[in-house]
Amino acid sequence: MINVHSYESMGTFDGPGLRLVVFLQGCPFRCLYCANPDTIDIKGGTPTPPEEILQMAISQKAFFGKKGGITFSGGEPTLQAEALIPLFRDLKANGIHTCLDSNGGIWNEKVEELLGLTDLVLLDIKEFNPERHRALTGRGNEQTLRTAAWLEEHARPFWLRYVLVPGYSDFEEDIRSLGKHLGDFKNIQRVEILPYHRLGVHKYEAMDLEYQLKEVKENTPEQLLRAEQLFKEYFENVIVN
């Protein structure tokens, strides 16, 4: 069984083309700006047979075109790597392109096997400075950077995703350090700068949780342009999403 939180059909933000997005339950990170706090607890969600997800993807395959496919997001999908491995094999056998949206913070032999089966990884790097990363997510970023290195070493294509949070992850020195660390990687196909937003605030209220970044305002166009210019000094294909 795979523990599913929800689905999005015809998604356009989580990988190339039109995609079926499967949001899985459970995440070890505690990002202060998390837009899906209801996905964090591993005990939530709906246990779902992998065959059900496979059939859903096959039924939507005609809409995917040449670029689209299925994306597993969350939460953190690598928490359920063992259950996903046979499903990814079946998806590949049916010619369906697979994406995995991951923070890269979990590593074991099952995660390694799953990444080896994935057509495209969307790797979320929250901050390069380890102390600021821990303040933002509650966890270190050492494994995320090791995951990036593994993807490069094994010639696995990936997109780098970076949420620009004013006062938390928009420091020029940290973006430059990230660029120097990863800028020579050949397998980063794209860098996506994701503007900070407050779309999940109502979920915190509904769950009777405090949203800790309520004083943080959304990015100005100037902040986004500056970040884009910085990233473009190190990476060829930079998109503000």
Side-chain angles (χ1 to χ4, degrees):
M1 290 290 194
I2 294 170
N3 205 11
V4 174
H5 174 269
S6 57
Y7 301 93
E8 179 187 350
S9 294
M10 305 302 151
T12 57
F13 290 104
D14 297 291
L18 287 175
R19 310 193 71 82
L20 168 63
V21 186
V22 186
F23 295 94
L24 302 187
Q25 190 72 28
C27 184
F29 279 26
R30 297 293 181 268
C31 299
L32 297 180
Y33 55 80
C34 180
N36 298 311
D38 43 336
T39 67
I40 292 175
D41 190 346
I42 190 68
K43 295 174 183 173
T46 304
T48 306
E51 298 77 20
E52 188 175 312
I53 300 172
L54 176 64
Q55 290 308 315
M56 192 181 302
I58 290 172
S59 72
Q60 295 185 23
K61 186 178 177 182
F63 298 101
F64 295 155
K66 292 182 178 179
K67 289 185 177 179
I70 187 169
T71 297
F72 291 86
S73 186
E76 173 50 51
T78 57
L79 274 176
Q80 302 187 56
E82 186 169 5
L84 288 173
I85 287 167
L87 174 56
F88 271 54
R89 287 206 181 99
D90 289 340
L91 288 162
K92 189 178 287 287
N94 282 275
I96 295 171
H97 182 276
T98 54
C99 266
L100 194 69
D101 183 7
S102 173
N103 60 40
I106 299 172
W107 194 259
N108 53 52
E109 60 182 17
K110 297 300 182 184
V111 172
E112 184 172 350
E113 186 175 352
L114 180 64
L115 292 179
L117 291 168
T118 303
D119 292 314
L120 177 66
V121 176
L122 312 178
L123 185 67
D124 298 290
I125 296 185
K126 315 293 186 180
E127 236 286 349
F128 188 78
N129 178 286
E131 287 79 23
R132 286 174 178 153
H133 187 281
R134 190 173 292 278
L136 194 58
T137 70
R139 298 285 292 264
N141 63 358
E142 297 81 8
Q143 181 53 58
T144 301
L145 297 176
R146 284 195 291 266
T147 299
W150 185 94
L151 292 167
E152 175 69 10
E153 183 183 339
H154 291 81
R156 306 306 302 170
F158 65 108
W159 292 4
L160 176 62
R161 302 181 115 191
Y162 193 89
V163 180
L164 195 72
V165 186
Y168 286 85
S169 63
D170 61 346
F171 302 99
E172 177 175 341
E173 64 267 29
D174 294 349
I175 293 174
R176 289 192 180 280
S177 295
L178 176 63
K180 290 171 185 173
H181 189 82
L182 299 178
D184 291 333
F185 280 23
K186 302 289 189 292
N187 291 287
I188 297 178
Q189 296 183 342
R190 175 170 172 164
V191 174
E192 289 192 331
I193 300 170
L194 307 181
Y196 165 73
H197 63 73
R198 299 158 56 88
L199 297 179
V201 170
H202 68 281
K203 294 184 182 180
Y204 288 82
E205 294 167 353
M207 296 170 68
D208 201 25
L209 296 172
E210 182 184 358
Y211 184 71
Q212 296 185 49
L213 299 187
K214 53 181 174 287
E215 305 303 323
V216 178
K217 294 181 171 62
E218 295 182 353
N219 309 105
T220 65
E222 292 77 17
Q223 288 171 335
L224 292 171
L225 178 61
R226 179 63 182 139
E228 182 183 8
Q229 290 170 337
L230 279 172
F231 274 101
K232 280 183 173 177
E233 291 186 33
Y234 302 93
F235 302 97
E236 288 184 6
N237 187 15
V238 178
I239 306 292
V240 177
N241 216 339

